[in-house]
Amino acid sequence: MAGEKVVLGLSGGVDSSVAALRLLRAGYEVHALYLDIGLGGGEAARATAESLGLPFAVADVSGELERHVCSRFYEDYLSGRTPIPCARCNPTVKFPALLRHADALGAPFVATGHYARIAPGSDGKPLLLRGMSPNDQSYMLARLPREMLSRVLFPLGDSDKSAIRSEAGVAELEAANRPDSMEICFIPDNDYAAWLDRRGNTPGPGNFVDSDGNVLGTHKGFHHYTIGQRRGLGISSTGRLFVSAIRPRRNEVVLSHGEDLHISRVMCGELNWLAEGSLTQPRHVSVRFRHSRRSDEATLIPLGEGRVEVRCDLSARAPTPGQLAVFYEDDTVLGSGWIL
């Protein structure tokens, strides 16, 4: 599709920089868009765009980020859940902003530097597939509406990270040696508990308890902890202790030696199907309960009202309320649901 316009989300990092380079080499007319969340930092993106001769624009998405991501992040933690903001941002903030800019320019496509792939399904409609890289990011993209996929390009989907860095080095891109950003974009110091505290009304210290309610010690506020956590508890024991439950109404954090963290049945809601209209019969799948390389074999049981029960072949460790369960068949993303 040489010569067609594409709007690329350009952060200035190595992934989006190489995505720009590949689109240019494929003959696209690339327009760079930096998404400003109100914290600045667009200088690297602008410099990359200038070095590649790309038209460059900035879109202020701070309001959308607050409404769809930050406020929900805050609410989830104060409800005892552990949110995953990138999975919410992609369908509600990032891709809508790219598509708005594309529509304004008359561009049929948008692109990002995600490690994922898109391929046509048997019905001719696009499917979301795992990226070939160990850095596969299909998990974070599983909330995108299927109708968006027909306009999305992922230039890095067939490559791994080492190849991308090497390509950036050969092309003498400034981003070649820039370290990857690992923190949540709106919490650049990575101290999410302090960010929550600054918004106010966070819980104070409470009790660590065992499953029988016996007090084991004092915690800093339940929003500092997540299911399965072992480090940073600040409490001694004859064996390793893990967070096994959070009770926000009582401001209690339940600890155990991990025997209750392995679960074979997980409830999921707010389903988003990407490979079919909905699930009407039980279906065997691979499921990822967090953004990691681990997959668990399971059967999906449709329950109606936008919910499924995930019955794992073998118990899964610490599926966490607020996280995303993504369902796969081979490399294809069938759909996803929020863990309840």
Side-chain angles (χ1 to χ4, degrees), residues 279 282-285 287 297-301 309-313:
L279 186 73
R283 184 163 184 172
H284 195 264
V285 300
V287 58
E297 298 300 305
T299 299
L300 300 182
I301 309 296
E309 179 181 321
V310 183
R311 295 184 184 175
C312 300
D313 293 2

Side-chain angles (χ1 to χ4, degrees), residues 283-304:
R283 184 163 184 172
H284 195 264
V285 300
S286 294
V287 58
R288 290 165 69 180
F289 290 113
R290 55 183 52 82
H291 185 41
S292 71
R293 299 181 192 178
R294 178 185 172 88
S295 294
D296 292 277
E297 298 300 305
T299 299
L300 300 182
I301 309 296
L303 301 177

Side-chain angles (χ1 to χ4, degrees), residues 31-291:
H31 293 253
L33 183 67
Y34 177 75
L35 302 182
D36 182 4
I37 65 170
L39 298 177
E43 296 81 7
R46 184 182 296 276
T48 296
E50 289 177 354
S51 70
L52 294 174
L54 306 181
F56 180 78
V58 177
D60 181 355
V61 296
S62 57
E64 292 94 330
L65 189 77
E66 169 59 31
R67 183 163 58 254
H68 295 295
V69 181
C70 297
S71 61
R72 186 64 181 266
F73 184 87
Y74 174 80
E75 292 165 3
D76 277 348
Y77 262 113
L78 267 60
S79 298
R81 297 186 292 270
T82 302
I84 182 161
C86 290
R88 289 198 181 278
C89 178
N90 283 324
T92 61
V93 180
K94 179 177 289 185
F95 282 84
L98 294 173
L99 288 165
R100 284 196 301 271
H101 193 59
D103 289 342
L105 294 175
F109 300 109
V110 300
T112 66
H114 284 101
Y115 292 85
R117 295 176 292 154
I118 291 178
S122 58
D123 58 1
K125 295 181 180 179
L127 295 175
L128 177 65
L129 277 63
R130 300 180 199 257
M132 296 298 291
S133 167
N135 301 89
D136 165 48
Q137 293 174 307
S138 60
Y139 178 93
M140 291 297 188
L141 299 163
R143 299 303 292 178
L144 291 178
R146 192 177 188 187
E147 56 268 21
M148 277 189 187
L149 298 181
S150 63
R151 298 185 64 185
V152 175
L153 304 175
F154 294 129
L156 310 188
D158 293 320
S159 302
D160 63 30
K161 188 76 175 194
S162 60
I164 296 305
R165 285 215 175 269
S166 176
E167 190 172 333
V170 170
E172 298 183 344
L173 295 178
E174 184 182 349
N177 298 312
R178 187 170 293 134
D180 292 330
S181 176
M182 303 301 292
E183 71 275 355
I184 298 170
C185 69
F186 56 89
I187 309 178
D189 64 0
N190 216 26
D191 190 344
Y192 76 89
W195 183 90
L196 293 168
D197 287 336
R198 288 193 293 271
R199 288 179 76 103
N201 297 319
T202 49
N207 289 327
F208 282 124
V209 298
D210 63 19
S211 58
D212 296 321
N214 299 308
V215 176
L216 303 176
T218 302
H219 64 68
K220 298 180 289 186
F222 66 77
H223 60 299
H224 287 261
Y225 308 93
T226 186
I227 305 298
Q229 180 177 336
R230 179 173 68 87
R231 299 181 184 276
L233 301 179
I235 187 170
S236 60
S237 171
T238 54
R240 294 189 300 175
L241 289 175
F242 302 85
V243 175
S244 60
I246 294 172
R247 298 171 177 168
R249 291 184 180 179
R250 301 180 188 178
N251 195 15
E252 291 180 344
V253 176
V254 182
L255 303 181
S256 73
H257 292 291
E259 66 279 357
D260 51 356
L261 286 176
H262 289 81
I263 299 172
S264 59
R265 296 189 174 191
V266 181
M267 300 293 293
C268 296
E270 297 182 55
L271 305 174
N272 182 51
W273 295 109
L274 288 174
E276 53 188 83
S278 63
L279 186 73
T280 58
Q281 299 292 329
R283 184 163 184 172
H284 195 264
V285 300
S286 294
V287 58
R288 290 165 69 180
F289 290 113
R290 55 183 52 82
H291 185 41

